[in-house]
């Protein structure tokens, strides 16, 4: 039974800072090359798995991000020791037995830290509170994970199914049935279940975002953690997994790839993007297949991990089920505005529970730029039409901020994108990288 838990916010100052930066963007032609930042999803998983291993893990080229710092802080509170020097993290793990050193974890704006560390906290018997910033408390539902944990003997409490949540283990053997539209609760229970004291079976109803579950399973396999599966609907974890520390170099972020790639497409430019390892398990590389179906053309050097975007290929609207790469929604919606004909994006309802309600936010902000766009319960319908300059808002969402900046590069006139400091979550050098390619994009403080 979920019980109400008092609401509190730990990051009001940070939230205010995010509101008071903006981009001024003028249409541009791009040329040259940039390198992708390191992957957020792989950085956070590497730190977490390092914190759960025996001995020391070395992680090179982690993403510099507020989410990375939130994960480091959370893992320290779960008993790991983490040191950072230059571009390497050294993690002394807990040997698969996390223990709570303080009673509260602040996940900041990170859904991964919130969900994953709540599940791992259930491995201990001491109570733990996990909270986050205002947006996380309003936007990231915890019911699926909390219901799964409660079926496995964990005492849970929440503020109407949102953070802050209170967890008190231990996690016990058994069967848990949970909704799987959002992949993070499934991944969280896969990780925690692999370390539990006895076997756990997960039965997932309506599994979604499958590539992100696959990414977590990739880590289990990499570390020789045993599991059995029947598709994405059933998982069996024998528990008591133990593994040694490891060496890991974080690859480029294939979710962030969308934005310089999209900038090239809307400006009809040719650029090269380095640090693009398309063999990595990240699911958002599927965006390339979708864009190729729309007419985009790429060349890939698999030795150097360089993606070259070719110019001169008009884009055409398509119908696309986006569930395998939900985070690509903001950029794909922008690209659809520059394509001929109609694009229908469906099976993306979970995008409403990301950093903001991305379906509603895209409809609102792209409409300001003159887009022919309508909102459905699980996606968007967009008919290509020239965009005009406007003042638009990021909704404190890093992918919204970058996608709207890409839209502005292809629009008519000079646009203003408000509240853009949030791009530091995944791509702190975004504006500088676009400037390096020749884009007219400038950062300015907003007037309060």
């Amino acid at each position: 039974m979920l019980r109400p838990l008092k609401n509190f916010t730990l990051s009001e100052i940070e939230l205010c800072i995010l509101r008071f930066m903006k981009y001024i963007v003028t249409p541009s032609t791009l040329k040259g090359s940039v390198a992708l930042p390191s992957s957020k999803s792989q950085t956070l998983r590497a730190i977490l798995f390092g914190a759960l291993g025996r001995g020391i893990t070395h992680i090179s080229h982690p993403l510099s991000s507020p989410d990375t710092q939130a994960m480091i802080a959370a893992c320290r509170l779960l008993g790991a020791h983490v040191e950072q020097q230059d571009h390497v993290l050294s993690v002394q793990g807990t040997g698969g037995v996390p223990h709570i050193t303080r009673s509260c974890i602040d996940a900041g704006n990170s859904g991964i830290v919130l969900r994953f560390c709540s599940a791992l906290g259930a491995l201990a018997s001491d109570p733990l509170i996990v909270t986050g910033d205002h947006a996380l408390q309003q936007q990231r539902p915890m019911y699926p994970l909390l219901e799964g944990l409660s079926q496995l003997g964990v005492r849970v409490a929440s503020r109407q199914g949102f953070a802050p949540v209170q967890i008190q283990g231990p996690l016990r053997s058994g069967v848990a049935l949970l909704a799987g539209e959002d992949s993070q609760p499934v991944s969280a229970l896969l990780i925690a279940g692999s370390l539990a004291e006895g076997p756990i079976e997960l039965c997932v109803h309506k599994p979604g975002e499958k590539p992100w579950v696959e990414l977590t399973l990739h880590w289990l396999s990499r570390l020789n953690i045993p599991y059995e599966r029947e598709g994405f609907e059933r998982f069996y974890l024998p528990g008591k997994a133990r593994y040694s520390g490891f060496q890991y170099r974080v690859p480029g972020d294939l979710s962030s790839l969308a934005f310089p790639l999209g900038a090239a497409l809307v400006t009809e430019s040719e650029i090269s993007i380095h640090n693009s390892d398309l063999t990595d398990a990240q699911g958002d590389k599927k965006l390339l297949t979708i864009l190729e179906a729309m007419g985009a053309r790429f060349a890939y050097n698999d030795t150097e991990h360089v993606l070259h975007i070719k110019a001169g290929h008009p884009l055409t609207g398509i119908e696309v089920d986006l569930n395998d790469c939900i985070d690509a929604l903001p950029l794909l919606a922008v690209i659809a505005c520059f394509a001929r004909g109609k694009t229908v994006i469906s099976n993306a309802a979970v995008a409403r529970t990301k950093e903001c309600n991305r379906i509603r936010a895209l409809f609102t902000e792209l409409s300001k730029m003159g887009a022919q766009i309508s909102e459905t319960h699980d996606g968007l319908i967009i008919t290509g039409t020239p965009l005009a300059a406007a003042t638009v808002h990021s909704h404190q969402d890093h992918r919204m901020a970058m996608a709207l900046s890409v839209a502005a590069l292809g629009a008519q006139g000079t646009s203003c994108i408000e509240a853009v400091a949030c791009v530091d979550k995944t791509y702190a050098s975004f504006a500088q990288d676009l400037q390096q390619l020749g884009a007219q994009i400038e950062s300015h403080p907003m007037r309060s």
Side-chain angles (χ1 to χ4, degrees), residues 5 18 33 50-51 62 66 76 98 101 136 145 162-163 172 232 252 259 265 288 290 340 372 393 398 430 433 436:
L5 194 66
L18 294 184
S33 64
R76 285 171 174 159
T101 61
L136 186 143
L145 177 58
F162 290 84
R172 303 189 186 280
F232 292 89
F259 302 104
L265 293 178
L288 295 174
I290 294 170
R340 295 180 299 191
Q372 293 187 29
H393 197 278
H398 57 130
F430 171 70
D433 283 3
Q436 179 179 324

Side-chain angles (χ1 to χ4, degrees), residues 25-27 262 266-267 330-339 362-373 381-392 402-415 417:
V25 184
T26 301
V266 305
T267 61
L331 189 279
L332 184 60
V334 167
I335 294 296
C337 295
F338 294 86
L362 286 163
F363 169 76
T364 300
E365 303 307 325
L366 290 176
S367 292
K368 295 175 184 177
M369 303 182 80
Q372 293 187 29
I373 182 171
I381 300 173
I382 301 168
T383 300
T385 190
L387 298 184
T391 296
V392 293
M402 290 186 283
L404 292 170
S405 299
V406 170
L409 285 172
Q412 299 172 2
T414 298
S415 296
I417 296 86

Side-chain angles (χ1 to χ4, degrees), residues 146-336:
L146 297 180
E147 291 289 356
L149 290 171
S150 66
Q151 293 171 61
L152 297 171
V154 180
R155 297 174 61 186
V156 300
S158 74
R159 184 187 56 79
Q160 298 180 329
F162 290 84
V165 297
Q166 186 170 18
I167 306 293
Q168 185 166 9
L171 190 70
R172 303 189 186 280
S173 298
V175 179
L177 173 66
L178 71 155
E181 290 92 342
D182 190 317
S183 67
Q184 288 181 0
V186 179
S187 285
L189 285 173
L190 284 170
I191 298 169
S194 72
L195 301 170
E197 285 303 304
I200 286 176
E201 181 177 343
L202 302 180
C203 299
V204 182
H205 180 60
K206 294 184 178 179
E209 299 187 302
K210 295 176 182 177
W212 292 115
V213 176
E214 199 71 68
L215 183 62
T216 299
L217 295 173
H218 171 81
W219 272 95
L220 298 186
S221 298
R222 184 181 192 276
L223 298 170
N224 295 314
I225 296 173
Y227 66 90
E228 298 175 12
R229 65 185 290 189
E230 294 176 6
F232 292 89
E233 289 77 23
R234 177 187 172 274
F235 301 94
Y236 175 79
L237 302 148
K240 296 185 178 180
R242 300 294 183 265
Y243 57 89
S244 299
F246 52 89
Q247 306 278 336
Y248 182 70
R249 179 187 172 105
V250 181
D253 196 317
L254 300 183
S255 299
S256 294
L257 172 66
F259 302 104
L261 185 161
L265 293 178
V266 305
T267 61
E268 300 182 359
S269 303
E270 292 205 10
I271 66 169
S272 295
I273 305 174
H274 295 253
N275 201 26
S276 302
D277 183 359
L278 300 184
T279 67
D280 192 70
Q282 298 169 63
D284 278 358
K285 61 188 175 185
K286 186 174 180 180
L287 176 63
L288 295 174
T289 303
I290 294 170
L291 294 175
E292 284 181 322
M294 298 179 76
R297 293 294 177 263
F298 313 110
Y300 179 60
N301 183 323
D302 58 0
T303 302
E304 301 293 332
H305 297 158
V306 178
L307 181 70
H308 182 71
I309 294 88
K310 298 181 179 180
H313 299 278
L315 303 175
T316 303
I318 61 171
E319 295 186 9
V320 56
D321 180 327
L322 201 62
N323 195 258
D324 281 351
C325 51
I326 290 291
D327 284 342
L329 176 64
L331 189 279
L332 184 60
V334 167
I335 294 296

Side-chain angles (χ1 to χ4, degrees), residues 17-23 417-421 443-446:
I17 293 172
L18 294 184
R19 290 175 176 154
F20 297 123
M21 292 297 293
K22 65 183 177 182
Y23 290 149
I417 296 86
E418 296 179 328
V420 298
S443 299
H444 295 280
M446 291 169 56

Side-chain angles (χ1 to χ4, degrees), residues 84-101:
Q84 188 168 7
Q85 186 173 6
D86 296 327
H87 298 291
V88 177
L89 292 173
S90 298
V91 184
Q92 175 71 54
T94 62
V97 187
H99 54 277
I100 296 168
T101 61

